[in-house]
Amino acid sequence: MTTIKQKQLWKYLFLLGPFFTVAGLTAGLVADSWGVVPLVLLITGIIICGLWVAWQSQRSQWWKRRSTQAGTNALVATLAVLLIVGLINFLATRYQVRTDLTDTQLFTISPQSQELVRNLKQPIKLWVFDVNQNPQDRELLANYRRQSSKFQFEYVDPQGRPGLAEKFGVKDYGEVYLEAGDKRQLVQSVNVNERLSEIKLTNKLQQLYSDRIAKVYFLQGHGEHPITTGEGGMSQAIQGLSDKNYTASPLSLTDNPKVPDDADVVVVAGPKRELFDAEVKALQAYLNGGGNVLLMVDPNTNPNLNSLLQEWGVRLDDRLAVDVSGAGVGLGPAAPIVRDYGQHPITQDFRDGISFYRLARPLEITPVAGVQSTPLLQTKPYPDSWAESDLQSEKLEFNPDKDLKGPLTLGVALSKTIPAKPTAITAPTTSPTPQTQASPTTSPTTLPTPQNQASPTTSPTPQNQASPTPSPTTLPTPQTQASPTEAPQAEQPSEKPATESRLVVIGNSDFVTDRIFQQQLNGDVFLNSVTWLSQQDQQPLSIRPKEPKNRRITMSAAQANFLTLSSVIVLPLIGFITAVAIWWKRR
């Protein structure tokens, strides 16, 4: 009896192990704090359980049994899987890592937007005054917030918080506002048919930080595309510039051949007639002074810009760019397709995107000292593209004697540094003429006349005394001649800092017109060019809307019927026959 009671006592004592373990876990989880008591209970329970396992193993040798080893292996594998899953979930809650596996990165904001949000200087909050929270819009805003904690957003019911709605001036449901400090700006209005746009949101974010509005002038008067709606108009391009905080104005150089001083960029979009020499010289002076110009010149035109382009090493080829690879997508041979872009900020994110140019002329680039040139737009190699010299022939064929093999350059970006210029000129020695010589006691603005000028042999009066041997001084003009006592100040000329002049030349202007501006990357080529030319490096370049690729299979009626019969009848029948054959063989 005593032996039996001792065995039962040891059995009950070892039950304390699971009890202490469960008690420790419960105390820690309920209190949400792993203090001394939960840890002591947990450790004690684990030690007792371990002793029980060791005692049972020594007593009955069950550890060496095959069933025990198999069960232990299964238990260890299960615990390992649970541990790995728990560790993955723990890391996922601490560190969020997202991978967009879609081909066009539909669920990831563009690199321009990411860089802008990551470099936010102050907290910005986006308010959506709407009762409906569209999942697509929320996902876009969540992508912005993942880039920086300084970007936050909130949905607000205008009726539920009328004071806040009045503060922003909300007039209707769906209005979206940005707020940064005391600045507030309307982004857009969202509804069922129009969702929140990444392009508009990123541009409005940039405008909150940019107090300066860039000025873009469009040269007019020579058959250029109008900046309004209508035939050949560029209203969509102007609206794109407005969204990026630019103002567009027409420019005429016939009355006053001088580019305005507030011009950030001058655009010459498809002139059909020659510019006057005075207008060309005005553009040259603007470029030589650190200006920026976008030239878009169509074939079969002579805008009289050869002298300007020659300084930059660009020559307009009179031949027509031909690309026979566009027939499959409905574009004729006179509309070259470009998928090869230069390594330049204008085209850095285009990858293998498509842009096309109806009736384009090639460009010939010659290296010029001090000018950096980067080809932007290049056609496919021959035999897909070439420069056609016979523009009257209806049948385009390559003539090796007259035509030029591709690839052809249709666009180029150029820049050069304008050296610093001194604002004053100094001379070591100067002999002033008798008409302009000033006395030491005379004010710099007072010039002696020949009647009161004293000769060296005459005793001069104090009013008209002149110095016979003046000291070295700055070379003055007769109106601003300074006395010798002011020479040390004039001998320190200040220099205007060096500036950079930029030029983009494209052998086509049709791509900026309203009918094809929104197609493919045409609009991005124009907007990115103006942004780079404006020399506002902090400005984000154009953002292309992301669209899913059409992966649908287009089949004829016969192909669809065949696919239906094969999937519904033929394939199940083959599986059934195979199963019967295997059963018969095993039988």
Side-chain angles (χ1 to χ4, degrees):
M1 289 293 294
T2 304
T3 305
I4 296 176
K5 290 181 178 180
Q6 289 178 350
K7 292 181 179 180
Q8 292 178 351
L9 181 61
W10 282 105
K11 180 179 179 181
Y12 292 133
L13 287 176
F14 280 118
L15 290 178
L16 293 175
F19 172 77
F20 286 141
T21 303
V22 174
L25 292 174
T26 304
L29 294 175
V30 172
D32 197 17
S33 175
W34 296 94
V36 178
V37 175
L39 290 177
V40 170
L41 292 175
L42 186 61
I43 293 173
T44 303
I46 293 175
I47 292 176
I48 294 177
C49 290
L51 293 175
W52 181 81
V53 171
W55 179 66
Q56 288 292 335
S57 176
Q58 184 178 5
R59 179 172 174 272
S60 58
Q61 301 295 321
W62 64 274
W63 185 259
K64 297 181 179 180
R65 299 175 185 175
R66 179 177 297 179
S67 59
T68 303
Q69 295 176 355
T72 303
N73 291 334
L75 178 62
V76 171
T78 303
L79 293 177
V81 171
L82 293 176
L83 180 62
I84 293 173
V85 173
L87 182 61
I88 291 175
N89 282 273
F90 172 78
L91 295 176
T93 57
R94 294 295 189 275
Y95 310 99
Q96 296 185 3
V97 178
R98 291 167 50 88
T99 302
D100 190 353
L101 300 179
T102 57
D103 189 20
T104 56
Q105 301 292 295
L106 284 174
F107 304 105
T108 306
I109 60 177
S110 65
Q112 296 94 331
S113 300
Q114 295 180 24
E115 182 180 0
L116 179 63
V117 178
R118 289 170 184 170
N119 296 329
L120 288 177
K121 301 176 183 178
Q122 61 177 332
I124 287 183
K125 190 167 186 178
L126 183 134
W127 301 86
V128 183
F129 291 92
D130 201 353
V131 292
N132 299 319
Q133 302 185 17
N134 183 271
Q136 180 181 347
D137 294 348
R138 286 193 62 91
E139 178 63 24
L140 176 62
L141 294 175
N143 284 334
Y144 275 85
R145 185 169 57 185
R146 291 187 187 98
Q147 305 302 322
S148 173
S149 60
K150 293 183 179 180
F151 181 89
Q152 300 295 329
F153 67 91
E154 183 178 349
Y155 279 82
V156 178
D157 182 3
Q159 298 294 336
R161 301 177 65 179
L164 184 63
E166 183 179 358
K167 173 183 175 182
F168 281 87
V170 178
K171 299 178 181 179
D172 197 2
Y173 282 95
E175 293 186 0
V176 182
Y177 285 85
L178 278 172
E179 182 181 26
D182 57 350
K183 295 182 179 180
R184 302 178 187 90
Q185 193 168 34
L186 175 65
V187 178
Q188 68 174 107
S189 294
V190 295
N191 50 53
V192 178
N193 299 322
E194 183 178 2
R195 302 313 326 154
L196 188 61
S197 169
E198 178 189 350
I199 299 175
K200 294 181 179 179
L201 179 53
T202 297
N203 287 333
K204 294 299 181 181
L205 278 172
Q206 178 61 39
Q207 291 179 20
L208 282 178
Y209 285 109
S210 177
D211 296 332
R212 176 177 175 270
I213 299 178
K215 193 85 170 184
V216 181
Y217 283 93
F218 287 80
L219 186 65
Q220 300 289 293
H222 315 87
E224 293 90 351
H225 296 290
I227 61 176
T228 56
T229 57
E231 182 66 24
M234 300 186 297
S235 61
Q236 294 180 2
I238 302 304
Q239 182 61 43
L241 292 176
S242 178
D243 293 340
K244 296 173 69 63
N245 213 25
Y246 291 87
T247 59
S249 303
L251 173 64
S252 176
L253 294 177
T254 54
D255 299 333
N256 182 19
K258 181 181 184 301
V259 177
D261 295 334
D262 62 345
D264 292 285
V265 181
V266 173
V267 179
V268 183
K272 295 180 175 59
R273 296 180 293 274
E274 292 186 6
L275 277 69
F276 290 108
D277 292 339
E279 295 177 293
V280 177
K281 291 180 180 179
L283 292 176
Q284 288 177 313
Y286 172 66
L287 282 171
N288 293 331
N292 312 282
V293 176
L294 171 60
L295 295 179
M296 295 177 285
V297 184
D298 296 314
N300 292 327
T301 61
N302 181 20
N304 191 27
L305 293 172
N306 292 333
S307 59
L308 183 150
L309 295 174
Q310 186 177 3
E311 297 179 1
W312 294 77
V314 180
R315 189 182 73 84
L316 299 173
D317 198 314
D318 293 330
R319 289 170 286 196
L320 179 69
V322 174
D323 185 355
V324 296
S325 65
V329 293
L331 297 176
I337 295 178
V338 172
R339 303 185 69 171
D340 185 9
Y341 305 96
Q343 298 297 323
H344 193 271
I346 295 177
T347 56
Q348 62 183 353
D349 293 320
F350 283 7
R351 299 185 179 91
D352 59 346
I354 296 174
S355 60
F356 59 95
Y357 307 87
R358 302 179 186 271
L359 300 178
R361 67 193 308 168
L363 306 176
E364 180 181 334
I365 313 301
T366 303
V368 175
V371 176
Q372 295 182 352
S373 62
T374 303
L376 294 179
L377 312 171
Q378 289 188 313
T379 64
K380 296 179 181 179
Y382 179 82
D384 289 331
S385 72
W386 68 87
E388 177 65 41
S389 58
D390 187 2
L391 305 182
Q392 304 301 326
S393 175
E394 296 182 358
K395 186 177 181 181
L396 299 176
E397 293 182 350
F398 178 75
N399 186 343
D401 296 331
K402 299 180 180 180
D403 299 339
L404 178 66
K405 293 183 178 181
L408 308 173
T409 300
L410 303 184
V412 62
L414 309 106
S415 64
K416 67 178 179 179
T417 301
I418 307 300
K421 296 182 180 180
T423 58
I425 304 175
T426 61
T429 57
T430 304
S431 297
T433 60
Q435 290 79 8
T436 60
Q437 186 175 1
S439 65
T441 59
T442 304
S443 173
T445 58
T446 303
L447 298 178
T449 60
Q451 288 78 9
N452 60 7
Q453 184 179 6
S455 63
T457 60
T458 304
S459 176
T461 61
Q463 289 80 7
N464 58 9
Q465 184 177 5
S467 175
T469 56
S471 60
T473 182
T474 305
L475 180 62
T477 60
Q479 293 79 7
T480 60
Q481 185 176 3
S483 63
T485 56
E486 295 181 348
Q489 297 179 356
E491 289 179 352
Q492 298 177 359
S494 61
E495 289 189 355
K496 182 180 178 181
T499 58
E500 185 180 54
S501 179
R502 296 179 177 181
L503 174 66
V504 173
V505 184
I506 299 177
N508 174 267
S509 67
D510 182 70
F511 74 100
V512 299
T513 57
D514 291 342
R515 60 194 181 98
I516 59 175
F517 181 81
Q518 298 289 355
Q519 296 186 27
Q520 303 299 329
L521 298 179
N522 289 2
D524 297 294
V525 172
F526 172 77
L527 295 176
N528 283 9
S529 298
V530 174
T531 302
W532 179 74
L533 287 170
S534 66
Q535 302 194 30
Q536 298 188 57
D537 297 335
Q538 73 279 9
Q539 276 270 13
L541 297 180
S542 179
I543 306 167
R544 298 173 303 284
K546 299 171 183 177
E547 299 179 357
K549 288 187 177 181
N550 184 6
R551 302 186 183 277
R552 291 176 293 182
I553 301 176
T554 303
M555 296 183 295
S556 62
Q559 292 174 332
N561 293 332
F562 174 77
L563 181 62
T564 302
L565 292 175
S566 61
S567 59
V568 176
I569 298 177
V570 177
L571 291 179
L573 184 61
I574 292 176
F576 178 74
I577 294 175
T578 303
V580 171
I582 293 175
W583 171 80
W584 182 262
K585 183 178 181 180
R586 290 185 175 180
R587 178 177 173 275

